[in-house]
Amino acid sequence: MKGIVLAGGSGTRLYPLTHGVSKQILPVYDKPMIYYPLSVLMLAGVRDILVISTPAHLPQFETLLGDGSRLGLEISYAPQAAPRGVADALLISADHIGQDQVALVLGDNVFHGAGFAQVLRGHVRGVDGCVLFGSAVSDPEHYGVGEVDSSGRLLSIEEKPVAPRSNMAITGLYLYDNDVIDVARGLKPSARGELEITDVNQVYVDRGKARLVPLGREFLWLDAGTPDSLLRAGRYVRAVERRQGVRIGCLEEIAFRTGLIGADDCYALGAELAGSSYGAYLMEISALGERSQ
């Protein structure tokens, strides 16, 4: 399975914070926002990842992440010259996807919950159609909302409904089979000139090949694209990390725990950041991991 992180757009909801810097470079507590969606793909077992952003912002991500080899990944980059919608990312990524399935995650989404890796890996194998992930919200009228039958098959999707049929908001994580490229190519732009991801998902709903996986109460999902939600996400990460002594969205730790890099590699990455608590954490877990083997 190939991975895509869509980190484009101008971040207007966060102005003036995003004048001159990509939204996905902004900090969510102790790490850049893009670490969190990248960690989702890594937990799902995805290793070959394309980061899509504006031509002006791509150098920032290349400086931050490089080619991914330090983490045991393959990270490449592609520009989205204008904000033409989430589904446009699938067209940009056609060569990257090739004949594979694909996992697309929005660059401002934060997910966290015990057993999330197991949930993800249980659904990335043999995707036939599309798999979406839902999160219960108190204000579904502000989201795309999914209605499912008893087997989890998605029956309908409504964007910002006046009378929601459920409280299950569709998150910014999407798994697709290889047909999705042709589906995206067949879309008509919206009135805003964008290719909407909801239209992609609706094609799969019409085919009877869309599933919605509800994330339970033990999972957190946040769109960190506004000042309030960015602050809320940072406070949540801070609270969990201070209480539990772990790091959420720590790419180096995930690479180490999943065998993509060794203990020495993890320690060296921490040593490069030795002046920070983040670097000290990496050195500590790599030393403990090495001794426990």
Side-chain angles (χ1 to χ4, degrees):
M1 177 172 277
K2 300 293 179 61
I4 304 169
V5 179
L6 180 55
S10 53
T12 54
R13 292 184 298 169
L14 284 163
Y15 276 175
L17 285 173
T18 47
H19 272 304
V21 65
S22 169
K23 169 177 63 176
Q24 290 84 8
I25 296 289
L26 295 178
V28 175
Y29 184 48
D30 58 351
K31 59 192 76 69
M33 186 187 296
I34 197 172
Y35 273 39
Y36 297 90
L38 274 173
S39 72
V40 170
L41 296 180
M42 292 176 70
L43 290 171
V46 177
R47 303 292 175 252
D48 192 348
I49 299 169
L50 181 69
V51 175
I52 298 175
S53 190
T54 66
H57 291 154
L58 274 180
Q60 299 173 8
F61 295 105
E62 294 183 71
T63 298
L64 177 66
L65 302 168
D67 64 2
S69 58
R70 287 153 58 90
L71 298 171
L73 303 174
E74 295 180 37
I75 299 179
S76 51
Y77 303 88
Q80 186 182 46
R84 292 190 295 264
V86 175
D88 182 57
L90 297 165
L91 299 182
I92 293 171
S93 308
D95 289 341
H96 170 71
I97 297 169
Q99 300 302 312
D100 291 321
Q101 301 167 342
V102 60
L104 168 62
V105 62
L106 302 187
D108 59 3
N109 275 215
V110 177
F111 295 84
H112 179 250
F116 193 34
Q118 288 74 20
V119 171
L120 292 172
R121 294 190 183 213
H123 291 283
V124 298
R125 301 185 186 95
V127 175
D128 180 19
C130 82
V131 179
L132 310 177
F133 295 85
S135 178
V137 295
S138 60
D139 52 350
E141 64 275 9
H142 296 302
Y143 300 91
V145 174
E147 178 188 16
V148 299
D149 63 16
S150 58
S151 68
R153 185 169 62 93
L154 194 56
L155 300 175
S156 70
I157 303 172
E158 292 183 281
E159 280 294 324
K160 299 180 180 178
V162 175
R165 297 180 184 178
S166 81
N167 68 337
M168 193 61 58
I170 296 174
T171 71
L173 173 62
Y174 317 90
L175 309 180
Y176 297 108
D177 62 16
N178 196 254
D179 289 346
V180 74
I181 300 172
D182 288 334
V183 171
R185 284 175 177 150
L187 295 182
K188 293 181 180 180
S190 68
R192 297 183 299 174
E194 298 184 358
L195 299 179
E196 304 289 354
I197 199 66
T198 297
D199 293 340
V200 171
N201 298 335
Q202 187 62 51
V203 171
Y204 282 101
V205 170
D206 294 342
R207 293 177 179 178
K209 299 186 71 175
R211 295 188 63 242
L212 183 65
V213 178
L215 299 175
R217 293 182 179 180
E218 68 273 23
F219 289 96
L220 170 87
W221 165 64
L222 287 172
D223 168 355
T226 68
D228 284 343
S229 61
L230 180 64
L231 179 61
R232 188 161 60 250
R235 285 176 169 172
Y236 174 85
V237 172
R238 178 180 181 270
V240 172
E241 292 189 355
R242 289 202 168 191
R243 177 183 294 270
Q244 299 182 3
V246 299
R247 300 268 169 166
I248 299 173
C250 180
L251 304 183
E252 298 87 351
E253 180 177 14
I254 295 170
F256 173 46
R257 302 292 188 197
T258 57
L260 295 177
I261 62 175
D264 290 343
D265 302 313
C266 186
Y267 190 92
L269 291 173
E272 293 178 10
L273 308 173
S276 68
S277 61
Y278 190 92
Y281 175 78
L282 294 178
M283 290 188 286
E284 180 182 1
I285 64 167
S286 60
L288 290 172
E290 188 173 39
R291 289 198 295 270
S292 67
Q293 291 176 354

